[in-house]
């Protein structure tokens, strides 16, 4: 004869059955929520873009309408945008569950210079990306960059040296670029900076940011001593060397960066000094 359940055992069995039933319906509810249109991407918003079309940013993110909000990998989507769009400096993704909205915010790189060569003018972004070819650089608030690059390709990266110049220019305040008319990339790790006041400055590409900041104080120092326009060598550490154009080979004066690196010619007034 089977043993009769005690009242306590019967209550435990009923409680266990209730938990099983509740868990089952909770699982069914969860599946229903996950598969519901309310848990899928219904809207995609893009902000921060001024030149890149919204459709292009969305396509690069990999986010698609109708996919489950649970499957939206925000970190990966942001990384894909930055990797596929050189004009984008950074991106951030957020998800709004109540509205089913995926919001994409991008920060585009700025144009920092215009590259000039015999084939035309090209806008350069802050990472050295060639954004577009333009008819003229007249009136633009960016310094002109020249060098030994072959013809640039739109939507491609410039050379490593030009790209390094662009990255550093991105952190230079506009006030420090006042009076800079051209930056020539020499191809030997240096640049020659041509100024509106007829001075020329030789600087290392790797320390362009610091050299630009030192230009005006150094020129004021030499002008205060009565020196006329010449070449100021800011490569290396102070004291910086000043060489008048008259001591340079006439064929190279104001055209070749190498002339600014040479020693003074005997009988000329070459000076060295640290800017204040």
């Amino acid at each position: 004869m089977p043993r009769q359940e005690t009242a306590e055992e019967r209550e435990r069995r009923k409680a266990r059955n209730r938990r099983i039933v509740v868990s089952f319906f909770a699982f069914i509810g969860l599946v229903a929520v996950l598969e519901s249109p309310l848990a899928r991407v219904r809207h995609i918003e893009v902000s921060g873009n001024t030149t890149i079309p919204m459709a292009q940013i969305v396509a690069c993110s990999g986010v698609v309408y109708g996919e489950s909000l649970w499957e939206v990998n925000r970190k990966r989507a942001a990384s894909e945008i930055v990797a596929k769009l050189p004009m984008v400096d950074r991106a951030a993704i957020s998800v709004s569950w109540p509205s089913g909205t995926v919001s994409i915010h991008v920060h585009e790189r700025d144009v920092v210079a215009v590259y000039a060569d015999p084939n035309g003018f090209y806008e350069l972004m802050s990472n050295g990306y060639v954004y577009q070819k333009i008819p003229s650089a007249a009136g633009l608030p960016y310094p002109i960059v020249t060098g030994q690059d072959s013809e640039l390709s739109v939507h491609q990266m410039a050379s490593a040296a030009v790209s390094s110049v662009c990255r550093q220019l991105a952190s230079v305040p506009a006030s420090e670029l006042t009076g800079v008319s051209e930056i020539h990339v020499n191809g030997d790790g240096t640049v020659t900076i041509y100024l509106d006041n007829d001075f020329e400055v030789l600087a290392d590409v790797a320390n362009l940011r610091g050299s630009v900041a030192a230009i005006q104080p150094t020129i004021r120092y030499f002008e205060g001593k009565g020196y006329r326009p010449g070449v100021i060598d800011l490569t290396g550490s102070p004291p910086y060397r000043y060489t008048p154009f008259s001591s340079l080979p006439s064929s190279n004066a104001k055209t070749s960066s190498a002339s600014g690196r040479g020693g003074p010619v005997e009988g000329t007034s070459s000076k060295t000094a640290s800017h204040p």
Side-chain angles (χ1 to χ4, degrees), residues 106-127:
V106 298
H107 182 273
E108 294 183 355
R109 299 181 189 275
D110 297 322
V111 174
V112 297
V114 173
Y115 192 91
D117 67 15
N119 299 299
F121 302 93
Y122 302 84
E123 287 185 332
L124 297 176
M125 310 298 288
S126 57
N127 62 340

Side-chain angles (χ1 to χ4, degrees), residues 8-88:
E8 183 179 353
E9 290 174 334
R10 188 163 48 252
E11 287 301 319
R12 283 202 300 268
R13 178 171 56 80
K14 290 180 179 180
R16 184 172 61 252
N17 291 340
R18 283 195 297 269
R19 286 197 296 271
I20 292 174
V21 171
V22 170
S23 298
F24 173 77
F25 282 106
F27 174 76
I28 295 298
L30 178 61
V31 171
V33 169
L34 294 177
E35 295 300 321
S36 167
L38 298 177
R40 296 191 174 276
V41 177
R42 288 169 284 155
H43 308 284
I44 301 178
E45 298 177 347
V46 177
S47 60
N49 58 314
T50 57
T51 58
I52 308 173
M54 170 183 172
Q56 188 176 2
I57 295 174
V58 173
C60 291
S61 73
V63 178
V64 296
Y65 288 97
E67 77 170 299
S68 172
L69 292 171
W70 293 95
E71 296 177 352
V72 176
N73 188 320
R74 293 177 293 173
K75 185 176 181 179
R76 183 176 62 192
S79 298
E80 287 292 314
I81 292 172
V82 174
K84 295 177 181 178
L85 297 174
M87 287 178 61
V88 174

Side-chain angles (χ1 to χ4, degrees), residues 96-110:
S96 173
W97 284 84
S99 63
T101 300
V102 174
S103 298
I104 303 174
H105 181 76
V106 298
H107 182 273
E108 294 183 355
R109 299 181 189 275
D110 297 322

Side-chain angles (χ1 to χ4, degrees), residues 67-258:
E67 77 170 299
S68 172
L69 292 171
W70 293 95
E71 296 177 352
V72 176
N73 188 320
R74 293 177 293 173
K75 185 176 181 179
R76 183 176 62 192
S79 298
E80 287 292 314
I81 292 172
V82 174
K84 295 177 181 178
L85 297 174
M87 287 178 61
V88 174
D89 180 33
R90 56 186 181 272
I93 313 290
S94 61
V95 176
S96 173
W97 284 84
S99 63
T101 300
V102 174
S103 298
I104 303 174
H105 181 76
V106 298
H107 182 273
E108 294 183 355
R109 299 181 189 275
D110 297 322
V111 174
V112 297
V114 173
Y115 192 91
D117 67 15
N119 299 299
F121 302 93
Y122 302 84
E123 287 185 332
L124 297 176
M125 310 298 288
S126 57
N127 62 340
Y129 180 75
V130 184
Y131 174 48
Q132 64 180 353
K133 189 174 183 179
I134 56 177
S136 171
L140 293 178
Y142 314 118
I144 299 294
V145 175
T146 58
Q148 301 170 352
D149 286 28
S150 56
E151 182 178 0
L152 300 187
S153 298
V154 175
H155 297 168
Q156 299 293 327
M157 298 295 293
S159 67
V162 172
S163 296
S164 178
V165 168
C166 291
R167 285 192 294 271
Q168 295 189 64
L169 286 177
S171 64
V172 175
S175 59
E176 292 182 5
L177 292 172
T178 300
V180 174
S181 61
E182 180 184 336
I183 300 174
H184 182 79
V185 181
N186 298 318
D188 61 353
T190 66
V191 296
T192 300
I193 304 173
Y194 297 93
L195 305 176
D196 292 338
N197 60 9
D198 293 332
F199 275 89
E200 295 178 16
V201 173
L202 189 68
D204 291 315
V205 170
N207 189 40
L208 178 60
R209 172 67 185 88
S211 295
V212 170
I215 287 176
Q216 294 305 325
T218 305
I219 288 179
R220 283 196 297 269
Y221 174 86
F222 284 117
E223 287 182 327
K225 296 293 184 180
Y227 298 130
R228 298 176 64 81
V231 176
I232 298 175
D233 189 341
L234 297 184
T235 60
S237 302
Y240 300 131
R241 181 164 52 198
Y242 162 88
T243 304
F245 290 129
S246 60
S247 71
L248 302 174
S250 59
S251 60
N252 290 336
K254 304 192 74 172
T255 60
S256 171
S257 65

